[in-house]
Amino acid sequence: MAERINARIKEAKAQGAEFSVELRNEALEEAFYETADEARVLRLDLIEAFDSGARERSMERYNRARRIERTISARWRPGFRELENMLAVTDELLHEVGEVVFDWYYADESLMAERLLDTDAVGGKGLKCFLFLAMLSRVCAIAAEILLLARHGYSDGMRSRMRSLHETSVIMGALEEAEPPMATEVAERYSAWSIVEDKKDLAGDSVDDVDLQAMEESARRRWGADFFKPYGWALPLFPGRRGGVTFAEIDSLVGMSELRSWYRHANHSVHAGPSSVMRRLDFDKMPDPFISGAEDVPAGELAAVMHNTTIMVTRCGVAALRILSVVTESYDAAFLMHALQIAAKSAQREFDKLRELSNGE
């Protein structure tokens, strides 16, 4: 195999090509498929046995996944139904309020004239409202993913998406509390921080994006070099602070620290640390110790994740409704908040009740 790869690279260099990662990967791919084709001819008996085993494994994985899904759904169906209802209520609020916000924005030319920095991007109060709408939309999507993964027994995925929901909830809370509802400075800083994200994405590549460079220069003139430090957009939340900010500080500031232990726990499901890696081996199940697919999620953990999900969706929904109602002055948020909170409490009660029943089994 190594000889084939080196031969491909040598041949390409002889034709004037320079060595690169792309060249190495192309040589590796060509050598792999050539070797695999030869193996099929030379050891056809082994290939057929392996293919047969893979087909059996595929059917076994399918049956196991269906069995776990049925087990989880049978146990948690009432709670899942209430959470689905809560997400439907939140989604309906999003669409109803979104229609109001868009009508408000396009009816006022002065709003449409507000721009972000020196660009053609939406700025000012319009940007702030669109940010909260987009964040609430993302919250609904993440919560639906958590529900789907929990229902199918993918606990790592469930926890990792809860981590994303926690982060979104914290950022949304920070944008709500950072300034008076009619102010837009922090919302614009947050939106403009996409400059930092884009530059990280392009790290190591030559950057010839004129618009990105112009936006970076404009942000530097307006907010200074500290804006580009970690979470630099959030500096106004910490008066007098120089340099960067940590996510933990923002988390504590907006009052989400009571869920932080779950956030830290979920980190293991995102990163490749030993705590998550070794959990995929269960020596009590020898001779097949590998947990390589769906699994039955412990009752206490599933109930806690679902309960926390309802808390965060509610907080985000209330934050969005409050900000949008004040900025647009177009609707009364009290009724909509009440509808969301009723749906959330119904889901929380159901999961708490089901957790107690499961613990008593």
Side-chain angles (χ1 to χ4, degrees), residues 132 168-178 237 254 315-316 319:
F132 274 89
T168 306
S169 302
V170 168
I171 300 303
M172 210 165 176
L175 291 175
E176 180 192 17
E177 297 185 17
L237 279 76
V254 301
R315 291 185 64 149
C316 291

Side-chain angles (χ1 to χ4, degrees), residues 166-342:
H166 183 101
E167 291 176 346
T168 306
S169 302
V170 168
I171 300 303
M172 210 165 176
L175 291 175
E176 180 192 17
E177 297 185 17
E179 57 191 354
M182 299 300 285
T184 62
E185 177 80 2
V186 177
E188 290 193 337
R189 289 174 67 103
Y190 173 76
S191 183
W193 215 66
S194 62
I195 303 168
V196 179
E197 294 179 328
D198 291 342
K199 286 178 70 67
K200 285 183 179 179
D201 293 342
L202 296 170
D205 299 331
S206 58
V207 180
D208 56 1
D209 189 326
V210 176
D211 292 336
L212 177 61
Q213 293 175 345
M215 193 172 180
E216 179 183 359
E217 292 171 3
S218 180
R220 196 177 299 276
R221 286 193 303 270
R222 181 170 173 180
W223 295 314
D226 282 346
F227 171 76
F228 297 92
K229 301 291 178 61
Y231 291 97
W233 63 266
L235 279 172
L237 279 76
F238 304 89
R241 172 75 66 87
R242 299 298 304 274
V245 175
T246 67
F247 179 77
E249 289 175 313
I250 303 174
D251 194 349
S252 178
L253 185 70
V254 301
M256 290 286 287
S257 54
E258 75 273 11
L259 300 179
R260 188 157 182 79
S261 61
W262 277 99
Y263 176 82
R264 289 195 298 266
H265 179 58
N267 285 338
H268 299 307
S269 296
V270 176
H271 305 301
S275 295
S276 61
V277 170
M278 293 307 297
R279 202 178 65 79
R280 289 293 165 176
L281 281 178
D282 186 350
F283 292 103
D284 292 334
K285 296 182 178 179
M286 293 293 287
D288 187 9
F290 307 107
I291 306 173
S292 55
E295 58 182 325
D296 194 5
V297 184
E301 181 178 8
L302 190 148
V305 169
M306 296 296 107
H307 187 103
N308 293 346
T309 297
T310 63
I311 291 175
M312 289 184 279
V313 172
T314 303
R315 291 185 64 149
C316 291
V318 169
L321 291 171
R322 183 183 298 120
I323 289 294
L324 294 172
S325 66
V326 173
V327 175
T328 65
E329 300 179 324
S330 300
Y331 68 93
D332 183 0
F335 170 76
L336 300 179
M337 289 181 188
H338 185 61
L340 176 58
Q341 290 165 341
I342 288 176

Side-chain angles (χ1 to χ4, degrees), residues 4-284:
R4 293 178 188 272
I5 296 171
N6 291 331
R8 296 291 187 281
I9 294 175
K10 186 176 181 179
E11 180 182 347
K13 291 174 71 175
Q15 296 175 359
E18 294 184 3
F19 179 79
S20 64
V21 175
E22 290 77 11
L23 175 60
R24 183 198 63 192
N25 290 342
E26 289 176 6
L28 176 62
E29 184 177 0
E30 290 177 9
F32 172 80
Y33 283 115
E34 186 175 309
T35 303
D37 288 340
E38 290 181 0
R40 283 186 173 276
V41 175
L42 297 175
R43 299 303 307 270
L44 185 60
D45 56 333
L46 293 181
I47 295 296
E48 289 178 347
F50 183 83
D51 287 347
S52 176
R55 287 192 296 272
E56 291 179 5
R57 182 70 63 184
S58 176
M59 183 58 66
E60 178 185 318
R61 287 173 60 86
Y62 174 79
N63 290 334
R64 175 178 171 79
R66 290 293 303 274
R67 184 169 62 253
I68 288 175
E69 180 187 355
R70 287 194 296 268
T71 299
I72 293 175
S73 293
R75 182 185 303 153
W76 298 98
R77 184 174 291 110
F80 289 156
R81 186 168 54 243
E82 291 295 338
L83 182 53
E84 287 276 16
N85 178 65
M86 179 192 175
L87 294 181
V89 169
T90 308
D91 202 10
E92 178 63 16
L93 296 178
L94 173 65
H95 283 77
E96 290 287 337
V97 173
E99 184 176 347
V100 172
V101 170
F102 281 108
D103 288 345
W104 163 81
Y105 178 75
Y106 287 110
D108 191 333
E109 292 186 0
S110 66
L111 292 171
M112 297 173 62
E114 294 179 321
R115 290 290 176 258
L116 176 63
L117 296 174
D118 298 324
T119 71
D120 292 331
V122 176
K125 291 191 287 292
L127 170 62
K128 186 168 188 173
C129 289
F130 295 150
L131 274 177
F132 274 89
L133 287 174
M135 282 192 160
L136 187 56
S137 180
R138 175 174 168 79
V139 163
C140 288
I142 295 174
E145 292 173 25
I146 293 171
L147 179 57
L148 179 67
L149 291 162
R151 182 178 279 142
H152 287 81
Y154 292 101
S155 56
D156 271 338
M158 174 188 74
R159 287 190 294 269
S160 65
R161 296 312 286 151
M162 188 190 72
R163 181 182 185 273
S164 298
L165 181 59
H166 183 101
E167 291 176 346
T168 306
S169 302
V170 168
I171 300 303
M172 210 165 176
L175 291 175
E176 180 192 17
E177 297 185 17
E179 57 191 354
M182 299 300 285
T184 62
E185 177 80 2
V186 177
E188 290 193 337
R189 289 174 67 103
Y190 173 76
S191 183
W193 215 66
S194 62
I195 303 168
V196 179
E197 294 179 328
D198 291 342
K199 286 178 70 67
K200 285 183 179 179
D201 293 342
L202 296 170
D205 299 331
S206 58
V207 180
D208 56 1
D209 189 326
V210 176
D211 292 336
L212 177 61
Q213 293 175 345
M215 193 172 180
E216 179 183 359
E217 292 171 3
S218 180
R220 196 177 299 276
R221 286 193 303 270
R222 181 170 173 180
W223 295 314
D226 282 346
F227 171 76
F228 297 92
K229 301 291 178 61
Y231 291 97
W233 63 266
L235 279 172
L237 279 76
F238 304 89
R241 172 75 66 87
R242 299 298 304 274
V245 175
T246 67
F247 179 77
E249 289 175 313
I250 303 174
D251 194 349
S252 178
L253 185 70
V254 301
M256 290 286 287
S257 54
E258 75 273 11
L259 300 179
R260 188 157 182 79
S261 61
W262 277 99
Y263 176 82
R264 289 195 298 266
H265 179 58
N267 285 338
H268 299 307
S269 296
V270 176
H271 305 301
S275 295
S276 61
V277 170
M278 293 307 297
R279 202 178 65 79
R280 289 293 165 176
L281 281 178
D282 186 350
F283 292 103
D284 292 334

